[in-house]
Amino acid sequence: VELVARPTILFLDEPTTGLDSVSAMAVIDTVSTLARRGLAVICTIHQPSAELFARFKRILILQPFKTPQEAQGGRVSYFGNVDAVKDYCHKMQLGDLRGGRNIADFALEALGGPRKKMEKKKGREEEEKGEGKTTTTTMLTTEELMIQPADVFLKTKIWLETKGILEKGVFKTENALVEGGLKVPTFASVFAKGAMDQFTTVMRRSLATTARDLDTIRSQFGSIVIMGFVFGTLFFQLATDQSGATNRVAIFFLSLIFICFSSSYKIQLLIKSRSSFFRETTANMYRGWVFYVTQLLADAAVFIPRA
């Protein structure tokens, strides 16, 4: 539904979760088509295959913080092109991709947490004297180090270039046009349109929905005709005395009861529309009261004849 409004950025949260390989590839192919048409797509992905992983252009990998007490979330351990992950890990001594292995699994293993590295260091020196000669022996020791991929990334050229672009084109917003040539948008409200535009659009949709539901319209008008015939038959030619007045009060009472109970048909229709209502109001397409008012007015074609 959100794609109908042609958004500038599309966020997807694990769109392939729970799908088989064929369906997951079909979803990513559709997303790739949207990206080629100029739509910026940002999505999280869970256990992708190598072929699916190659569909992405750039990837952001986060490394958890050193201790749970530090903060929530993660630190950036890599941000760049997907096809450069293998060379980057080899260059930074974070691991080498073995033949036949899924590059997505390799990237998570190499960049998703600390890496162990064995480093040789110069130790003590010993001198031996004998036969007029002095021999110096240097002892080498091996030390196990823990490499943090996030710390390594902060020293790379990729990070420095990315940081410069962000500071130049996004963070400086004193003027309408920032140094990077980007216009930072500002919004007066969370809604793209005003209340009147929302009401007009949703009202047209409610009228069209009500007019297309022919079964409900037929059942409602049929119940009106049948109950009208029943009431008219039961209370035909009432007397004008006290007994007739009492019977007329009964007509009004039964009519109100009929209207109240027959209106319960709308409950099932509202239950069916809950999914679209929650999705659209969460996306700030319109205000909640607009939906209920337009539903009431659209049903007026049924309520007024019944009354």
Side-chain angles (χ1 to χ4, degrees):
V1 176
E2 287 77 6
L3 291 177
V4 176
R6 302 185 66 180
T8 305
I9 301 177
L10 178 63
F11 290 91
L12 300 175
D13 184 17
E14 296 187 4
T16 60
T17 300
L19 302 178
D20 58 84
S21 58
V22 177
S23 300
M25 188 59 65
V27 171
I28 296 302
D29 286 340
T30 303
V31 173
S32 301
T33 302
L34 295 174
R36 287 194 296 269
R37 293 178 179 177
L39 176 62
V41 181
I42 301 175
C43 73
T44 58
I45 199 72
H46 181 64
Q47 292 182 337
S49 63
E51 185 178 1
L52 191 147
F53 189 73
R55 290 287 200 280
F56 292 89
K57 182 179 180 181
R58 299 175 70 84
I59 185 175
L60 172 67
I61 300 179
L62 299 179
Q63 174 192 342
F65 282 89
K66 298 178 181 178
T67 59
Q69 291 76 19
E70 290 189 30
Q72 298 293 328
R75 304 170 63 201
V76 178
S77 60
Y78 181 78
F79 178 65
N81 294 334
V82 172
D83 53 7
V85 173
K86 177 181 176 181
D87 295 336
Y88 172 82
C89 293
H90 175 74
K91 181 179 179 181
M92 297 301 169
Q93 299 181 354
L94 296 174
D96 294 318
L97 177 63
R98 299 188 300 271
R101 191 180 182 191
N102 188 345
I103 187 173
D105 296 335
F106 166 74
L108 290 178
E109 179 181 336
L111 302 171
R115 300 282 295 174
K116 293 182 180 180
K117 178 183 178 183
M118 305 302 292
E119 185 174 281
K120 294 182 178 181
K121 290 189 175 182
K122 183 185 293 186
R124 65 182 184 277
E125 296 182 353
E126 296 181 354
E127 294 184 356
E128 296 181 1
K129 296 181 180 180
E131 300 180 359
K133 296 182 180 180
T134 302
T135 303
T136 303
T137 304
T138 302
M139 304 297 293
L140 297 178
T141 60
T142 303
E143 183 178 355
E144 185 179 86
L145 301 178
M146 297 297 295
I147 302 177
Q148 301 292 339
D151 295 336
V152 175
F153 181 73
L154 294 178
K155 302 175 183 178
T156 60
K157 183 180 179 181
I158 301 175
W159 161 247
L160 296 177
E161 292 177 351
T162 304
K163 182 180 179 182
I165 293 174
L166 292 175
E167 291 179 345
K168 184 178 180 180
V170 176
F171 293 152
K172 296 183 179 180
T173 59
E174 292 85 358
N175 302 318
L177 290 176
V178 296
E179 295 182 9
L182 299 176
K183 186 176 181 180
V184 180
T186 57
F187 304 96
S189 173
V190 296
F191 300 100
K193 296 291 184 179
M196 185 55 65
D197 291 332
Q198 297 174 22
F199 179 82
T200 303
T201 303
V202 180
M203 187 65 199
R204 287 200 299 265
R205 187 182 69 174
S206 299
L207 289 173
T209 303
T210 303
R212 292 168 182 169
D213 192 0
L214 298 180
D215 292 337
T216 301
I217 293 177
R218 293 191 188 100
S219 63
Q220 291 301 308
F221 277 100
S223 63
I224 292 174
V225 173
I226 294 174
M227 294 307 297
F229 177 78
V230 172
F231 290 156
T233 303
L234 292 176
F235 302 100
F236 180 68
Q237 293 182 347
L238 292 177
T240 57
D241 54 7
Q242 185 63 38
S243 177
T246 303
N247 291 332
R248 286 181 174 85
V249 173
I251 293 177
F252 296 139
F253 176 75
L254 291 177
S255 299
L256 292 175
I257 293 298
F258 167 69
I259 293 174
C260 293
F261 280 97
S262 61
S263 299
S264 61
Y265 83 96
K266 192 63 178 178
I267 297 177
Q268 184 65 26
L269 299 179
L270 289 176
I271 292 176
K272 290 182 179 179
S273 62
R274 283 195 309 173
S275 58
S276 61
F277 170 76
F278 290 144
R279 181 177 64 248
E280 293 167 354
T281 53
T282 302
N284 294 323
M285 292 185 176
Y286 51 80
R287 295 170 173 84
W289 64 266
V290 172
F291 175 81
Y292 294 107
V293 172
T294 54
Q295 287 288 315
L296 179 62
L297 295 178
D299 288 339
V302 177
F303 284 132
I304 291 177
R306 184 191 307 163

